[in-house]
Amino acid sequence: MNKLLLTAAEAAAVLGVGRSTVYELMAAGQIESVRIGRSRRIPRAALVAYVDR
């Protein structure tokens, strides 16, 4: 089963970039993220939408 929400490290592996790049993209609003407690998770659909743009 594929996860619906990914950590920054998992999203970075999917995109083939570094974890810090994922955090920069989230901060710039280019990748949507969800806050769960104190952590951030990235919906898999948000990665697909980013790549499609």
Side-chain angles (χ1 to χ4, degrees):
M1 179 175 145
N2 287 334
K3 291 181 176 183
L4 294 177
L5 296 174
L6 305 172
T7 64
E10 292 168 337
V14 169
L15 292 175
V17 299
R19 190 172 53 100
S20 60
T21 301
V22 172
Y23 281 114
E24 290 171 8
L25 291 170
M26 285 192 296
Q30 293 185 20
I31 292 182
E32 174 193 346
S33 63
V34 176
R35 190 171 211 55
I36 300 177
R38 295 183 63 198
S39 63
R40 286 255 171 219
R41 294 292 183 263
I42 301 155
R44 188 172 288 276
L47 296 181
V48 173
Y50 173 72
V51 171
D52 285 345
R53 277 186 269 148

